[in-house]
Amino acid sequence: MNVKIDIQDLKYMLDNTPASQNIMLTGRHGIGKSEILTKYFSEKGMQVVALFLGQMSDPGDLIGLPDKSGEKTVFRPPYWFPIDGKPIVLFLDELNRARPEVLQTIMDLALNRKLAGRDLPAGSRVIAAVNEGEEYQLTDLDPALVSRFNVFRFEPSVQEWLLWAKENDLDQRVIGFISENGTWLDKDPNAEEGADTGLDKTPDRRAWKRVSDVIKGKQKIENRDIKLISSIVGVKATNVFITKMAQLKQVDVKEFLRDFDKFVPSLASYKPHDFVVINEDIFQYLQVTDFDSTLAAQIAENLAKYVDYLDIQQKREVLASLANLFLQDRYSKAQEFITQNVFKVAKKLFKYTASIK
C-alpha cells in the first residue's frame, strides 16, 4: 500500500521534490488530479501539458511523426513539445491505460527526460496518474517503469472538496449533503469493493458538481429533476441525497453572519448536529471569502453574537466543534479573520479548548 496524501500533502511534496524526480499519483477517477496540478503550477508560471495516454493508439501520438526528407529520419516534435525551451509539467494521465508500445516510449522519458532523442527543457517535471480498481480496464505496469517514480496514493479529503465547492459557489444543498454524508462523495459506500459496475452510475466529485449545475436556482426539486440527478450520480446516491436533503435544516451562512438576530427564534429547535453543520459552513465561508472593512465588521459582530448564544445556552458540544475547527490548519484564513476582527471569540475558543484537554 502506497503512502496516502491529500491536497495539502501533495503541495508539500511538489514543493520539496526536485524537478529531476518523477511523481506518480494513484487513485480513483474524478478526484481532480489534473485541475489541482494545473492550478498549482499555473500560480508558479509553469505550463501543464496533460496527455491522456489511454487515448493514444501508437507511440507516434506521443513522440511525433517521422520526417524522411533529410539524410536521416528524424521525428518532428509533437504539437505539445515546448520548442521555446521553457520548462513544462508533463502530466501523463491514465498511465496504466496506455498500450504497451506507448509505455515503452514513457520509459526513456521517465529515465532520461528524452523523447525520440529530443531533451525536455531543463527544469521540466514529469507527473503521472493511474486509476486504481478492478472496475477499470488497465495495463499492468512494468516494475522497472514504476521504479522511476515516487508513488503516492492521492486521496483529497472531503473537507478539501467542501472548501473547493464553497469557493466555486456550488449549490448549498449539495455542499450540505456531502458535509454530512462524505462517504458518498467518491463512490457508493455500500458497494462491494472492486465490483464491476458496468454502466451503472456511481457518484464522484465531478458528478456532484454537475448535480449542482442542474439544481442551482431551483427552489423545488421536481420528479424529473430527480431522474436527471439519477443519471449523474446513480439511483442509490440520488435516493439518499433527496431523503437527506429533506431532513437538513438549511441555513444561508451569508445571511446568518449578516443578521444573526433573525435566526435566533428558530435555533431553539436545532439539535447539536444541526449546529455542527452551521459551524462547518461558517469556517468554510470565512476561508474562501474576501471581505471589505465594513462587511468584516458586520460579520465579526454577528459571529460574536453566535458564540455568546452558544455560551449562554451552555451548548458545550457545539462550542467544542467550533473550537476544534478553529485549530485546524485547513482553515488558516478563517483563523486569521477571527483573530484580527473578533479577538474575544478567538480568546474564548482558545480558552475553551484548553479547558477540555
Side-chain angles (χ1 to χ4, degrees):
M1 180 65 70
N2 297 311
V3 62
K4 183 171 71 173
I5 61 172
D6 59 17
I7 294 176
Q8 294 306 313
D9 293 330
L10 175 60
K11 290 179 179 178
Y12 180 88
M13 302 307 168
L14 295 173
D15 286 338
N16 290 275
T17 301
S20 59
Q21 296 184 19
N22 308 316
I23 291 176
M24 181 184 295
L25 304 177
T26 72
R28 297 182 60 84
H29 69 278
I31 57 177
K33 296 184 287 291
S34 178
E35 180 180 353
I36 292 166
L37 290 171
T38 298
K39 180 179 180 181
Y40 172 86
F41 284 109
S42 294
E43 291 173 352
K44 297 182 179 299
M46 290 187 71
Q47 179 189 8
V48 177
V49 176
L51 300 178
F52 297 92
L53 303 185
Q55 300 176 10
M56 293 185 173
S57 59
D58 62 60
D61 294 334
L62 180 62
I63 65 176
L65 297 176
D67 182 353
K68 301 180 181 180
S69 60
E71 294 183 1
K72 295 182 179 180
T73 299
V74 296
F75 284 88
R76 300 177 64 85
Y79 72 93
W80 58 266
F81 196 88
I83 57 177
D84 58 3
K86 295 181 179 179
I88 64 169
V89 179
L90 192 56
F91 179 52
L92 306 175
D93 204 1
E94 301 180 337
L95 181 67
N96 55 341
R97 285 187 174 182
R99 294 172 177 267
E101 54 270 28
V102 173
L103 289 176
Q104 290 301 315
T105 302
I106 298 297
M107 289 282 284
D108 191 31
L109 181 62
L111 179 61
N112 301 312
R113 300 301 175 91
K114 287 181 177 290
L115 202 61
R118 187 179 289 107
D119 292 315
L120 284 178
S124 293
R125 307 194 66 152
V126 176
I127 301 176
V130 303
N131 292 327
E132 283 188 339
E134 296 179 6
E135 66 269 33
Y136 304 117
Q137 295 179 356
L138 307 176
T139 303
D140 290 334
L141 295 179
D142 190 323
L145 175 60
V146 175
S147 71
R148 287 163 168 75
F149 289 85
N150 302 345
V151 183
F152 302 99
R153 180 177 177 81
F154 184 48
E155 292 186 7
S157 69
V158 174
Q159 289 74 22
E160 288 172 331
W161 185 87
L162 289 170
L163 283 177
W164 173 87
K166 184 74 73 173
E167 188 175 18
N168 287 272
D169 197 28
L170 266 65
D171 188 275
Q172 184 56 42
R173 289 165 291 190
V174 172
I175 295 175
F177 173 73
I178 296 301
S179 179
E180 292 302 295
N181 306 274
T183 56
W184 284 93
L185 177 59
D186 292 309
K187 60 182 180 179
D188 175 354
N190 301 315
E192 183 178 347
E193 191 66 30
D196 184 2
T197 59
L199 290 177
D200 291 340
K201 289 294 293 183
T202 55
D204 59 49
R205 297 171 190 231
R206 285 193 296 249
W208 286 114
K209 168 63 167 62
R210 297 203 300 273
V211 171
S212 172
D213 291 342
V214 300
I215 68 172
K216 196 169 182 62
K218 293 186 177 181
Q219 294 296 320
K220 184 179 179 181
I221 305 300
E222 306 289 348
N223 287 335
R224 284 176 175 155
D225 293 318
I226 294 174
K227 291 181 179 180
L228 178 54
I229 297 169
S230 297
S231 74
I232 300 172
V233 294
V235 174
K236 291 182 181 179
T238 301
N239 288 339
V240 177
F241 173 62
I242 297 299
T243 301
K244 296 290 186 180
M245 191 170 58
Q247 298 171 353
L248 282 175
K249 287 184 169 67
Q250 295 288 334
V251 171
D252 186 334
V253 70
K254 297 178 185 178
E255 291 300 316
F256 190 82
L257 291 175
R258 285 170 171 80
D259 188 8
F260 172 74
D261 293 336
K262 182 176 71 174
F263 290 85
V264 171
S266 63
L267 294 181
S269 65
Y270 278 46
K271 295 179 169 41
H273 174 79
D274 299 317
F275 284 103
V276 169
V277 174
I278 293 175
N279 291 349
E280 190 86 39
D281 285 347
I282 288 173
F283 271 83
Q284 290 169 4
Y285 179 65
L286 295 179
Q287 181 66 24
V288 304
T289 309
D290 295 319
F291 308 100
D292 59 33
S293 57
T294 301
L295 184 54
Q298 182 183 17
I299 288 175
E301 178 185 356
N302 283 279
L303 181 58
K305 287 182 178 180
Y306 174 55
V307 173
D308 287 342
Y309 172 88
L310 296 177
D311 206 6
I312 293 170
Q313 298 295 321
Q314 297 185 340
K315 296 188 178 296
R316 294 179 58 83
E317 182 180 344
V318 181
L319 278 169
S321 161
L322 204 63
N324 179 58
L325 292 169
F326 183 66
L327 296 177
Q328 294 183 16
D329 291 340
R330 69 174 179 269
Y331 292 127
S332 58
K333 187 177 174 183
Q335 294 167 359
E336 182 179 347
F337 175 90
I338 293 173
T339 303
Q340 292 182 354
N341 295 280
V342 55
F343 184 70
K344 73 172 188 176
V345 168
K347 185 177 179 180
K348 183 174 291 187
L349 294 178
F350 275 128
K351 183 178 179 180
Y352 188 82
T353 303
S355 70
I356 62 177
K357 287 184 177 178

